[in-house]
Amino acid sequence: MIRVRAGALLLAAAAALTGCGGAADETDLGDPDAPDAAEPRAESPAATLVCADAATAVPRPTALPGEVPLPSDAVLTGSEERSGGRLVITAVTPGDFRSTLAFMQRAYSAAGLTLKEGEVEDRDAESNFAGKGLVGRWTLREIPDCDGDTLVTVLVARA
């Protein structure tokens, strides 16, 4: 059963993108405290949110470094190239928020990427990362009305 809540989810995404902290600077990774630093812009095709069972996969971009881990069950749903060699990818995983968070914390550390300046709340989390010549930020958001599916966004650039 397709459970796309486009209107409500688009409003939620727009609210997250315009939340306190403002938009990220287009010439760098942006303010590490800005909530939208690793999220696609509202007008981006990557901003469309769907449940994992309804997601349409797109190919992994060649610009996405192999050192950047994603959950094995994640469906890559979009990518957006930004100025300064930055890349934002979006994916959705049927894994619940807590298990996805645990994966991200373990996998990034195991890949030699140091997590810093992160925050974890009930249904969302984010962290900056650096290492192996990369800098970036990932965010996780539980998707409402999707049985605990989790939206994963990653912003990455060469340092």
Side-chain angles (χ1 to χ4, degrees), residues 39-131:
E39 295 181 12
R41 295 181 191 100
E43 69 275 8
S44 166
T48 304
L49 302 176
V50 297
C51 298
D53 62 357
T56 301
V58 299
R60 184 178 174 112
T62 56
L64 181 60
E67 299 89 351
V68 175
L70 295 173
S72 62
D73 60 354
V75 179
L76 187 62
T77 59
S79 65
E80 177 183 344
E81 291 189 28
R82 293 192 182 169
S83 62
R86 298 174 302 154
L87 176 69
V88 177
I89 61 108
T90 57
V92 62
T93 179
D96 66 87
F97 170 75
R98 290 287 169 194
S99 62
T100 304
L101 174 61
F103 167 84
M104 297 294 276
Q105 291 171 330
R106 281 190 316 268
Y108 275 67
S109 179
L113 301 169
T114 302
L115 299 179
K116 55 186 179 178
E117 300 167 340
E119 178 179 70
V120 177
E121 295 178 3
D122 286 341
R123 293 183 175 94
D124 64 78
E126 56 269 336
S127 181
N128 293 340
F129 63 88

